[in-house]
Amino acid sequence: MKTIVINASHRKDGATAKVLNEFVSHLKDGNAEISMFHLSDLDINFCTGCCGCYKTGHCFLDDDTEKLSQEIAKADSIIIGTPCYASGMSGQLKTVIDRGHFVIEQLLKGKHAIGVVTFENAGGASVWKSLKNLFVFSGASTVDKLVVKTPFNSDPLGNPNIKNKIKKKSIKLLKAVRNNKTSFMCRLTNLFVLNFGIKPFVSKKGEAYQGVLKHWKERGISHKTT
């Protein structure tokens, strides 16, 4: 089992990172192979909106975003953690989503996902909603979430209840991957989004979206609606 863990906070020892590291600890106990990425360490450029990746299958910007996407593509599961800034996800994470071949190319197809959000005052629920939409629209099976209200840059692990939740959710993720378990509603939603939202859109684009079809073929996705 290979799991990608993404810390979308600029702080590598902040509240979000501490929660993610606790997940990593439990997943390693379950013999999972973990690759953790701090977005603050990566060279990530803004999307230019050229749509060239849809035709070629890759972005013309030669930076760490493409490498991260390739690592995600090889994983069985993913945990994305972000702090809440101004009632939204971190800017670093939004940039990766804009660049990372998630939705149209179905980067998370067949993968199991957990979203982690830390916030101090308000907005945690809205950030989770954005993460959940990302998972659903990108083809993932959403296993669980952890939305933590905690003082800025604090240590949420001082709360035994939080630590216990992380342990339970880690076990849940391990079981979901090993048993290839996806809820009926999640499968139904993924199919609906793909067949009635994404596929008709891509089919209208023709040659301009040949790179998308290449990614679909790699992920076992037919270009025909089912």
Side-chain angles (χ1 to χ4, degrees), residues 18-73:
K18 285 182 169 66
V19 170
L20 294 175
N21 282 324
E22 187 73 3
F23 269 103
V24 168
S25 177
H26 289 296
L27 292 173
K28 282 184 176 178
D29 287 343
N31 295 319
E33 177 188 346
I34 311 293
S35 294
M36 185 167 181
F37 295 90
H38 299 278
L39 296 189
S40 59
D41 285 341
L42 305 183
D43 176 25
I44 301 171
N45 293 292
F46 295 121
C47 178
T48 67
C50 72
C51 295
C53 59
Y54 295 143
K55 184 172 184 177
T56 65
H58 59 85
C59 182
F60 79 93
L61 295 171
D62 185 17
D63 62 12
D64 291 330
T65 315
E66 287 290 300
K67 298 172 186 175
L68 178 59
S69 294
Q70 291 167 11
E71 289 299 313
I72 293 172

Side-chain angles (χ1 to χ4, degrees), residues 131-178:
L131 277 182
K132 184 179 180 181
N133 285 340
L134 173 69
F135 294 154
V136 170
F137 298 156
S138 302
S141 169
T142 305
V143 175
D144 213 329
K145 70 178 187 295
L146 182 63
V147 180
V148 181
K149 186 174 183 179
T150 186
F152 180 74
N153 209 29
S154 64
D155 184 2
L157 303 182
N159 184 339
N161 186 44
I162 297 299
K163 294 191 71 172
N164 189 45
K165 285 183 178 180
I166 295 172
K167 182 178 180 180
K168 289 181 177 179
K169 293 173 192 294
S170 298
I171 294 172
K172 188 176 180 181
L173 179 62
L174 287 167
K175 288 182 176 179
V177 174
R178 287 170 180 162

Side-chain angles (χ1 to χ4, degrees), residues 68-221:
L68 178 59
S69 294
Q70 291 167 11
E71 289 299 313
I72 293 172
K74 294 183 289 186
D76 303 296
S77 59
I78 184 169
I79 301 176
I80 299 179
T82 179
C84 173
Y85 293 152
S87 297
M89 65 181 68
S90 72
Q92 293 99 318
L93 180 55
K94 184 60 172 68
T95 300
V96 167
I97 293 170
D98 291 345
R99 288 275 317 283
H101 311 290
F102 281 89
V103 177
I104 299 298
E105 296 94 329
Q106 293 288 282
L107 179 63
L108 303 183
K109 174 70 174 176
K111 305 184 192 308
H112 300 269
I114 287 180
V116 172
V117 180
T118 60
F119 72 107
E120 182 174 29
N121 184 26
S126 63
V127 176
W128 160 241
K129 183 178 180 180
S130 295
L131 277 182
K132 184 179 180 181
N133 285 340
L134 173 69
F135 294 154
V136 170
F137 298 156
S138 302
S141 169
T142 305
V143 175
D144 213 329
K145 70 178 187 295
L146 182 63
V147 180
V148 181
K149 186 174 183 179
T150 186
F152 180 74
N153 209 29
S154 64
D155 184 2
L157 303 182
N159 184 339
N161 186 44
I162 297 299
K163 294 191 71 172
N164 189 45
K165 285 183 178 180
I166 295 172
K167 182 178 180 180
K168 289 181 177 179
K169 293 173 192 294
S170 298
I171 294 172
K172 188 176 180 181
L173 179 62
L174 287 167
K175 288 182 176 179
V177 174
R178 287 170 180 162
N179 299 327
N180 195 23
K181 184 178 179 181
T182 303
S183 72
F184 172 76
M185 284 305 299
C186 189
R187 291 198 304 271
L188 185 64
T189 305
N190 290 153
L191 284 171
F192 182 85
V193 169
L194 180 61
N195 286 299
F196 295 98
I198 297 176
K199 285 186 177 180
F201 173 78
V202 171
S203 67
K204 294 176 183 177
K205 296 292 184 175
E207 291 293 324
Y209 273 51
Q210 287 304 300
V212 174
L213 298 181
K214 175 185 174 184
H215 283 300
W216 286 4
K217 185 176 181 180
E218 293 170 350
R219 289 158 195 161
I221 302 172

